[in-house]
Amino acid sequence: EIEYDQHLAKRIGSDRWSLDAIPPCVERLKNRAKQLGLWNLFLPKPIPNEIRALCDQDNASFVSPSMYLSNREYGVLCEIMGRSLLASEACNCNAPDTGNMEVLLKHGSLAQQIRYLKPLLMGQIRSAFLMTEPDVASSDATNIETTLTKVVSSSGNVHYVLNGKKWWSTGAMDPRCKVALVLAKMDHGKVGVSNTDPSSKHGAHTVVIIPMDAPGVKLVRPLTVFGYDDAPHGHAEVQLTNVVCGPDTLILGEGKGFEIAQSRLGPGRIHHCMRAVGLASRCYDLMILRSMSRTTFGKPLYQHGGCQEMIADSATDIQTSRLLTLSCAASIDQRGPRGARDQIAMIKVAVPEMTLRVVDRAIQVFGGAGVCNDFPLARAFAGLRTLRIADGPDAVHRRTLALLEVKRAKLRQQAMRSSL
């Protein structure tokens, strides 16, 4: 990580988004992960035979992990990878690529898998997922304003035109990012006939896959998270202006956007939460060491009651977060993401809050050193605070959980009445 940061420190402005800005240590780590069989560990099932054969032709048999893990098993590894800024990318297990690969693996056509899934599995390119928009409250995905207009020519040929503005498009600034999945709404008021229901709140949402160098795709600016630009990966505002898309760019077809998004988010939240646990554990370890090495008022910090409370509370928060998330992962393995909706919402609320508290306590123990970049605490705090918004804010998940709990209570009430 020191080498990584030192390399980027020499890059300023647009140079931070160039291929030269990618630290050489990243490729070294990737090559080592391939040698050790630690590549693509997130894969939930074998890749299609056609894709495997093409990878074998390129001497890339490493794309298939040595074994396929359950969500619970992979969650344990996510915690380990979460301790380092570089580990997930080194193992080709980084977001949003993992979610995008899972979508292509589950829903993509063979042509889409050959063009995009294969190079993603090999680690040759990166990707982005464009959903959030600056002009609407995107926590309610029915507000999305990016439009996909279907155009049918007089000869019967079909194409689509994509227009809109996205932001917080993680990975889009990366010079290796070659493709993006875009969530849009079918435009029923323009030329052409859509297969979706204009009266449905969810039926018009559609996912298209577009090359980042397609005409009409413009990176407007990089965005910063509490001052961190996260270069060379980064987050972008993206303008989409009359981007022409063929029928082969739609994933699963018109109106399947919500189905795709939900299948993508369930396992992804396990990954996020367990990486958060790993990051909080690293900060906790640093806090313990600091409390043993610094003395105030004649005794080590850990002998002060206030510091002891912070250590005990942090240990409790970490273990609670870990067990909640692994329990949720086991439920997804048994019942699928839909059957574990309540637990997914629960961990998305609880884990970012608890792990953020751990880092906040660590910063307090470190004092001034905790808020500078000499230690990973400030960056960890920024990332975990952002996690309370990413993939849906706390309020949305609390709403989901509450409605599910009330529904469950009503069913119990009905069962009791029917038994009388």
Side-chain angles (χ1 to χ4, degrees):
E1 291 181 1
I2 294 175
E3 179 183 342
Y4 187 97
D5 289 337
Q6 288 176 342
H7 182 89
L8 278 166
K10 302 173 184 176
R11 274 73 189 170
I12 299 173
S14 60
D15 288 345
R16 293 176 66 78
W17 313 108
S18 65
L19 284 172
D20 181 63
I22 300 168
C25 63
V26 173
E27 287 304 315
R28 292 202 312 270
L29 291 170
K30 285 183 174 182
N31 290 333
R32 185 59 177 151
K34 294 172 186 176
Q35 294 169 4
L36 294 173
L38 301 176
W39 192 258
N40 289 336
L41 295 169
F42 72 94
L43 282 174
K45 63 180 182 179
I47 61 177
N49 291 332
E50 296 88 346
I51 305 301
R52 185 194 300 274
L54 290 173
C55 290
D56 289 342
Q57 290 176 14
D58 293 337
N59 295 316
S61 58
F62 58 81
V63 298
S64 297
S66 53
M67 63 183 299
Y68 294 93
L69 306 174
S70 66
N71 283 291
R72 187 188 62 79
E73 291 167 336
Y74 180 61
V76 175
L77 299 184
C78 282
E79 178 178 349
I80 297 171
M81 289 188 284
R83 293 182 66 92
S84 170
L85 172 71
L86 307 179
S88 292
E89 181 177 359
C91 297
N92 209 38
C93 293
N94 41 277
D97 294 341
T98 50
N100 291 340
M101 285 188 272
E102 287 177 352
V103 166
L104 289 168
L105 182 62
K106 185 175 182 180
H107 303 296
S109 66
L110 180 59
Q112 291 168 344
Q113 290 175 343
I114 292 173
R115 183 174 180 183
Y116 300 117
L117 178 60
K118 174 178 172 283
L120 281 168
L121 287 168
M122 294 175 65
Q124 295 175 331
I125 64 172
R126 300 293 304 271
S127 64
F129 189 84
L130 279 56
M131 177 178 172
T132 305
E133 299 181 1
D135 297 329
V136 296
S138 304
S139 55
D140 178 357
T142 62
N143 289 332
I144 296 296
E145 291 183 340
T146 296
T147 59
L148 187 67
T149 305
K150 185 175 183 178
V151 180
V152 183
S153 68
S154 57
S155 60
N157 293 325
V158 175
H159 71 271
Y160 300 83
V161 180
L162 184 65
N163 281 284
K165 184 193 295 184
K166 300 288 188 178
W167 74 341
W168 294 113
S169 304
T170 298
M173 290 300 302
D174 195 315
R176 300 163 294 179
C177 182
K178 303 300 181 184
V179 61
L181 277 64
V182 184
L183 182 67
K185 247 193 224 180
M186 295 301 302
D187 186 353
H188 296 282
K190 298 294 178 70
V191 181
V193 179
S194 170
N195 296 325
T196 62
D197 181 3
S199 63
S200 171
K201 289 178 63 177
H202 303 92
H205 290 71
T206 302
V207 174
V208 291
I209 185 167
I210 60 171
M212 289 299 292
D213 60 358
V217 178
K218 180 183 178 182
L219 297 177
V220 178
R221 57 174 175 144
L223 303 171
T224 58
V225 179
F226 291 105
Y228 294 98
D229 64 7
D230 294 336
H233 192 45
H235 320 272
E237 179 179 328
V238 184
Q239 183 69 47
L240 305 166
T241 306
N242 294 325
V243 181
V244 178
C245 307
D248 58 344
T249 64
L250 272 65
I251 297 182
L252 206 59
E254 296 178 11
K256 301 296 185 180
F258 268 87
E259 180 182 342
I260 293 169
Q262 290 307 311
S263 69
R264 182 181 188 277
L265 288 176
R269 286 174 178 145
I270 297 294
H271 307 169
H272 280 312
C273 287
M274 287 307 291
R275 281 195 293 263
V277 172
L279 181 57
S281 296
R282 179 182 179 182
C283 296
Y284 172 74
D285 291 345
L286 291 172
M287 177 175 69
I288 292 283
L289 292 174
R290 187 77 167 189
S291 73
M292 295 190 302
S293 65
R294 292 298 173 109
T295 300
T296 61
F297 304 104
K299 57 183 178 181
L301 290 177
Y302 75 86
Q303 290 185 5
H304 291 278
C307 188
Q308 290 171 355
E309 288 183 5
M310 287 192 282
I311 292 171
D313 290 345
S314 296
T316 302
D317 281 340
I318 290 171
Q319 184 70 341
T320 304
S321 298
R322 178 184 293 120
L323 296 179
L324 270 177
T325 308
L326 292 178
S327 174
C328 177
S331 294
I332 293 176
D333 290 331
Q334 295 167 6
R335 306 197 303 270
R338 187 163 187 81
R341 285 180 65 205
D342 55 342
Q343 289 178 275
I344 292 172
M346 193 180 296
I347 64 168
K348 188 57 182 64
V349 171
V351 174
E353 285 189 351
M354 287 191 285
T355 53
L356 183 65
R357 291 201 298 258
V358 173
V359 178
D360 183 63
R361 296 183 193 112
I363 289 173
Q364 196 68 20
V365 170
F366 269 75
V371 296
C372 73
N373 285 332
D374 289 357
F375 297 92
L377 303 179
R379 182 183 290 175
F381 187 91
L384 291 174
R385 182 60 185 86
T386 305
L387 190 57
R388 292 185 57 195
I389 300 171
D391 280 349
D394 293 353
V396 171
H397 296 287
R398 283 191 165 95
R399 175 180 181 271
T400 298
L401 180 57
L403 291 175
L404 288 170
E405 288 294 308
V406 171
K407 180 180 179 180
R408 189 176 291 118
K410 287 181 177 179
L411 291 174
R412 288 197 301 266
Q413 192 177 56
Q414 290 173 2
M416 289 176 62
R417 287 173 178 170
S418 63
S419 65
L420 295 177

